[in-house]
Amino acid sequence: MEAIKNIWDLKQKAKEVLPSEVFDYLAKGTEDDLTLNRNISAYHQYQIRPRRLVDVRNIDTAVTLFGQQWQSPIAIAPVGFQGVFHENGEIATAKAAEAKQHLILVSTVSNFSYQDISQHCTRKPWFQLYPTTNRDYTKLLLERAEKNGCPVLVLTVDLPILGNRVVHVREMGHLSRLKNKYGNLQFFDDDFKLHDPSMTWDMIAWLRKHCSMKIVLKGIVRADDAQLALDYGADGIIISNHGGRQLESNLSTIECLEEIAQIVDKKIPLLIDGGIRRSTDIIKALALGADAVCVGRAFCYGLAAYGQAGVEKALEILQEELIRNMMLTGVNTLKDLNASFVRKI
Ligand SMILES: Cc1cc2nc3c(=O)[nH]c(=O)nc-3n(C[C@H](O)[C@H](O)[C@H](O)COP(=O)(O)O)c2cc1C
């Protein structure tokens, strides 16, 4: 792994080891990849403005989310079907997160169950929910997560229907060959629907009635929706466009951040994902008002290339870059970062 110096190297390695359609399933997005590419390229329009002559010997990257302190603001995004990237799938990811002490989010459509995955984590993962159209099933998912110690439920709100992912459909052949295709859903009958196009803001109250986990909405991209999230009592927001896998021609997530951060105004935790491949991306997002970030493809490239060790490598790369670039930016803690450190050109 010595040759691996950054996330792009891990991506290249993943490309070498994965069947081409599995690599495309991971690396590509929807339709013409416009949202996917914009998530990445928009970060290049924001430039960092470092401070000078600051004593930066002691860098602290700790962040507190819902009363839990994490040594790093880099969390692992919920990614479904990790078994297609590596046979140990989400278990390898969870072990890496535990070894490196990062927060991990577990997808509804993980190949291993939340129970099996969470056993490897001292501090329990957040559970990402795709509500089924059968609310009795949904309740079962909530109960199982909660019974296994899940503190935070992450409701994905950008998927009333699957985006137009040509590659995704081709990939389904690989999925059906997996031993446990649906770790969390194996007891459900075949005709359940994972995506509920009828879901509206009332869902927050429904969830509140049926569980006592914190409720975070994943997929908010506008200030007015962020305001509604506050009005309806959401406990947190993840700004996300599903890594460019849902609606084509979105703004990038970093472009959505400022207006949302203004509305949220530190009242609830605000996270962001999409396009993060370098720690300078993370510094920009935190400076513009995010409390933490999630990475999706970045860790999956590591998982595909080297299993658990590869996920650890991805986390290590981003964390080391973060410390170095915080020193170069002239800040000691994440709280020191503010909008004055970034200018959009
Ligand atoms: C292969 C793949 C599968 C994903 N599966 C899910 C999922 O099951 N649930 C979900 O909420 N988001 C899912 N996402 C979206 C991620 O949680 C995250 O929003 C996205 O990957 C962030 O963008 P990035 O990959 O550029 O970091 C998936 C993303 C990828 C790449």
Side-chain angles (χ1 to χ4, degrees):
M1 237 192 283
E2 260 163 48
I4 304 292
K5 302 288 182 219
N6 54 50
I7 298 300
W8 302 117
D9 293 338
L10 279 176
K11 180 178 182 183
Q12 181 53 39
K13 188 71 193 168
K15 190 171 186 179
E16 283 162 29
V17 302
L18 287 176
S20 65
E21 59 273 33
V22 180
F23 176 77
D24 286 350
Y25 161 70
L26 169 57
K28 292 206 175 280
T30 198
E31 297 187 358
D32 301 318
D33 287 345
L34 297 177
T35 308
L36 167 74
N37 292 334
R38 193 176 179 104
N39 274 350
I40 297 171
S41 63
Y43 272 107
H44 306 161
Q45 295 166 22
Y46 294 81
Q47 314 302 329
I48 298 175
R49 303 173 65 232
R51 299 297 306 259
R52 301 296 188 215
L53 297 172
V54 179
D55 177 351
V56 287
R57 284 171 299 173
N58 298 309
I59 299 292
D60 178 2
T61 64
V63 62
T64 300
L65 298 169
F66 300 118
Q68 279 192 334
Q69 202 194 58
W70 298 91
Q71 288 318 305
S72 168
I74 306 165
I76 290 187
V79 167
F81 306 124
Q82 292 177 32
V84 293
F85 308 131
H86 188 273
E87 58 181 344
N88 297 339
E90 295 87 5
I91 302 284
T93 303
K95 286 181 174 174
E98 178 70 8
K100 295 286 170 188
Q101 289 296 299
H102 288 252
L103 167 64
I104 171 175
L105 283 65
V106 169
S107 165
T108 296
V109 290
S110 51
N111 293 125
F112 292 89
S113 67
Y114 178 88
Q115 181 177 1
D116 289 347
I117 300 166
S118 63
Q119 276 176 11
H120 300 277
C121 304
T122 315
R123 285 180 290 172
K124 298 302 169 197
W126 297 3
F127 180 65
Q128 175 267 325
L129 180 73
Y130 285 134
T132 72
T133 44
N134 179 334
R135 288 289 182 265
D136 287 337
Y137 288 164
T138 311
K139 269 196 261 176
L140 206 55
L141 287 171
L142 298 179
E143 276 163 28
R144 288 214 200 126
E146 206 159 17
K147 202 174 84 192
N148 287 289
C150 176
V152 178
L153 183 78
V154 176
L155 178 68
T156 295
V157 295
D158 58 13
L159 212 139
I161 184 173
L162 199 67
N164 187 13
R165 309 180 202 162
V166 182
V167 187
H168 191 115
V169 173
R170 265 190 261 139
E171 162 51 22
M172 284 302 166
H174 281 268
L175 273 179
S176 56
R177 281 197 291 279
L178 288 177
K179 258 192 284 162
N180 33 336
K181 185 171 160 195
Y182 289 123
N184 296 309
L185 304 165
Q186 71 269 45
F187 302 115
F188 299 156
D189 53 42
D190 278 344
D191 63 356
F192 77 91
K193 294 264 180 309
L194 251 189
H195 316 311
D196 181 359
S198 73
M199 188 169 71
T200 61
W201 292 95
D202 313 339
M203 187 63 180
I204 298 176
W206 187 89
L207 289 170
R208 200 63 86 201
K209 201 161 116 203
H210 294 287
C211 76
S212 50
M213 293 175 275
K214 298 282 183 201
I215 298 170
V216 169
L217 301 187
K218 174 174 182 279
I220 298 293
V221 288
R222 295 172 49 134
D224 43 10
D225 276 352
Q227 183 60 58
L228 283 170
L230 290 174
D231 296 345
Y232 279 89
D235 298 305
I237 288 175
I238 303 179
I239 300 174
S240 175
N241 54 35
H242 221 102
R245 298 168 84 79
Q246 284 298 101
L247 178 67
E248 184 62 304
S249 265
N250 267 213
L251 283 174
S252 70
T253 47
I254 188 71
E255 290 169 299
C256 304
L257 173 57
E258 269 172 289
E259 65 173 65
I260 294 178
Q262 230 172 18
I263 293 290
V264 171
D265 196 22
K266 299 285 172 200
K267 291 185 194 95
I268 55 175
L270 179 62
L271 290 81
I272 184 170
D273 73 23
I276 292 169
R277 306 289 184 269
R278 285 281 188 186
S279 79
T280 44
D281 303 337
I282 298 170
I283 287 178
K284 291 169 191 176
L286 298 178
L288 293 175
D291 298 304
V293 303
C294 300
V295 293
R297 292 180 183 82
F299 88 82
C300 289
Y301 293 142
L303 176 66
Y306 302 104
Q308 178 186 340
V311 179
E312 289 185 27
K313 185 73 182 175
L315 294 170
E316 224 171 78
I317 287 171
L318 289 173
Q319 182 66 15
E320 279 175 22
E321 276 186 16
L322 181 61
I323 291 170
R324 180 187 304 277
N325 283 319
M326 281 175 69
M327 292 177 80
L328 292 170
T329 303
V331 292
N332 286 292
T333 71
L334 302 182
K335 283 208 166 67
D336 296 339
L337 283 167
N338 58 51
S340 79
F341 283 93
V342 173
R343 182 175 295 162
K344 190 177 182 195
I345 305 294

